[in-house]
Amino acid sequence: MFKSIFTMAACALVLTSASAYGAPTHNPILVKFSHVVADNTPKGQGALLFKRLVEERLDGKVKVEVYANSSLYGDANELEALRNNEVQLLAPSLAKFEKYTKQLQVFDLPFLFDDLNAVNRFQKRAKGRQLLRVMEDRGIVGLAYWHNGMKQLSANKALLVPGDAAGLSFRIQPSSVLKAQFQQLHATAQVLPFAEVFAALKSAKVQGAENPWSNIYSKQLHNVQPFITETNHGVLDYMLVSNPRFWYAIPHQIRSELEGIIDEVTYAVNKQAEAANQADRQRIETSGKSRLITLDDQQRAAWRQAMQPVWQQFEQEIGADVIKAAQTVNRKQRN
Ligand code: SIN
């Protein structure tokens, strides 16, 4: 399922020294799973479910350690740690792979996907599946897509029309598309690790951000962002990744069992992500800490119009074929 010429060659090399990569014959294979969010988020829950199922079913052959909240590695170093096999599983946001492939930036294009169901369809179709493999020659193998949710815009002032964002500075993930998206609004963007977002908003180092409800709630960002506009303008999803040297060195039968567990966890995460986000939306509203601004169709169309020029700007880098494949998954009529 997850093979390539590069990885098979690498695998042969590693099998000769499997213990160096955590796949000895007698000791358990150690899988360190590091991530940057809280346990009570779709990704946090997925990591814990993976650990539980592995430990229930694999009879001590594999040991999983989960490190949440950037407690082992954070945004600045986790992908390099994976490539160096210091950690064996990560699930970074799709916006964090730009250094290794431009194609995944399709997921950052604003207003490309109407909703999480559309994102799901794209990820399941041929082009989406293909994107899981595009970083293998860079030492990253994609195992699954995990949902979080659609992003909302928050700020220290009410954002009703695109012009309201002008002059503000927004925290972004390390993605040129996201930078360009805010430039379209005549705002500026600062790349900051997720672990620093709360403090940066609190101190007004940046005045706004874009996050799904679950990340806003679990990091209490609504306590330092008095306004949240329900734009649903983009998606924040994850790719569960390992490094091919480690992954393909795992004995075949154990790897098949791990792949089965990953399928099961992926189904569970993706099934409950939307509901988890809606529950957090409700908690934020009930807290009264932040005013939630909803947009009517006409207002949302204005945001779309303001941001959409970035599609053309990045078409060549991402690939027109990738963008076209993503466009076909929407089912709603355009306004
Ligand atoms: C995450 O959900 O993993 C964090 C995303 C972000 O950096 O905004």
Side-chain angles (χ1 to χ4, degrees), residues 32-335:
K32 291 188 187 174
F33 188 159
S34 171
H35 66 81
V36 301
V37 292
D39 286 334
N40 61 338
T41 57
K43 176 164 62 181
Q45 291 292 297
L48 293 175
L49 179 61
F50 175 75
K51 175 181 167 65
R52 180 161 67 76
L53 295 184
V54 167
E55 292 179 355
E56 276 171 14
R57 295 185 192 165
L58 284 174
D59 200 22
K61 291 188 213 104
V62 178
K63 180 170 161 34
V64 180
E65 292 175 356
V66 175
Y67 298 89
N69 286 315
S70 311
S71 56
L72 186 61
Y73 293 101
D75 284 336
N77 52 9
E78 66 175 15
L79 278 162
E80 278 315 292
L82 181 83
R83 281 156 41 94
N84 295 329
N85 202 48
E86 285 149 9
V87 60
Q88 291 72 36
L89 276 183
L90 301 173
S93 152
L94 293 164
K96 293 180 182 166
F97 291 103
E98 178 178 347
K99 197 169 153 198
Y100 307 100
T101 176
K102 302 283 185 204
Q103 292 185 66
L104 284 172
Q105 288 192 291
V106 67
F107 289 101
D108 293 341
L109 292 175
F111 293 99
L112 178 58
F113 299 104
D114 280 347
D115 51 31
L116 212 51
N117 289 330
V119 176
N120 198 49
R121 284 191 288 276
F122 176 65
Q123 291 172 348
K124 287 199 160 133
R125 289 187 189 170
K127 189 56 83 179
R129 304 288 312 161
Q130 214 176 305
L131 295 180
L132 290 171
R133 315 280 295 271
V134 293
M135 297 178 289
E136 284 199 29
D137 61 352
R138 306 293 307 274
I140 298 171
V141 53
L143 306 176
Y145 289 108
W146 284 4
H147 293 326
N148 186 336
M150 302 304 282
K151 292 180 292 185
Q152 320 302 335
L153 273 184
S154 65
N156 61 2
K157 62 178 273 203
L159 304 178
L160 283 164
V161 295
D164 292 333
L168 298 185
S169 179
F170 286 83
R171 177 269 170 171
I172 55 163
Q173 304 176 76
S175 155
S176 308
V177 170
L178 299 180
K179 184 171 178 206
Q181 166 193 280
F182 285 107
Q183 283 170 344
Q184 285 299 318
L185 302 176
H186 306 288
T188 54
Q190 271 194 54
V191 174
L192 290 174
F194 188 62
E196 291 174 25
V197 178
F198 180 87
L201 290 169
K202 187 167 188 225
S203 67
K205 176 178 177 180
V206 288
Q207 298 87 48
E210 49 166 17
N211 284 286
W213 297 112
S214 73
N215 283 5
I216 297 173
Y217 184 71
S218 60
K219 290 293 174 193
Q220 300 291 292
L221 304 183
H222 56 296
N223 288 337
V224 289
Q225 291 279 265
F227 300 93
I228 305 175
T229 307
E230 192 166 14
T231 47
N232 290 307
H233 64 279
V235 65
L236 195 155
D237 262 13
Y238 306 112
M239 191 184 283
L240 180 70
V241 288
S242 187
N243 74 71
R245 284 182 305 168
F246 169 78
W247 192 252
Y248 295 115
I250 298 174
H252 179 73
Q253 202 192 334
I254 298 180
R255 198 169 73 234
S256 297
E257 290 187 62
L258 290 175
E259 285 169 2
I261 290 172
I262 287 173
D263 284 349
E264 210 172 308
V265 175
T266 299
Y267 179 80
V269 169
N270 291 351
K271 192 160 178 260
Q272 60 86 49
E274 176 67 19
N277 270 283
Q278 288 311 317
D280 284 342
R281 179 195 185 284
Q282 189 58 49
R283 290 184 183 104
I284 292 166
E285 191 164 36
T286 307
S287 77
K289 294 284 187 186
S290 195
R291 190 180 127 208
L292 305 197
I293 300 165
T294 50
L295 301 174
D296 63 27
D297 287 350
Q298 211 180 345
Q299 286 169 317
R300 195 161 178 273
W303 285 92
R304 167 194 286 278
Q305 202 179 3
M307 290 178 170
Q308 200 163 351
V310 302
W311 291 22
Q312 206 177 358
Q313 207 177 325
F314 288 88
E315 182 178 292
Q316 215 173 345
E317 278 186 13
I318 294 170
D321 58 327
V322 181
I323 299 178
K324 194 146 190 239
Q327 277 180 283
T328 62
V329 296
N330 289 316
R331 293 206 170 136
K332 288 183 200 152
Q333 291 292 316
R334 285 269 175 268
N335 300 313

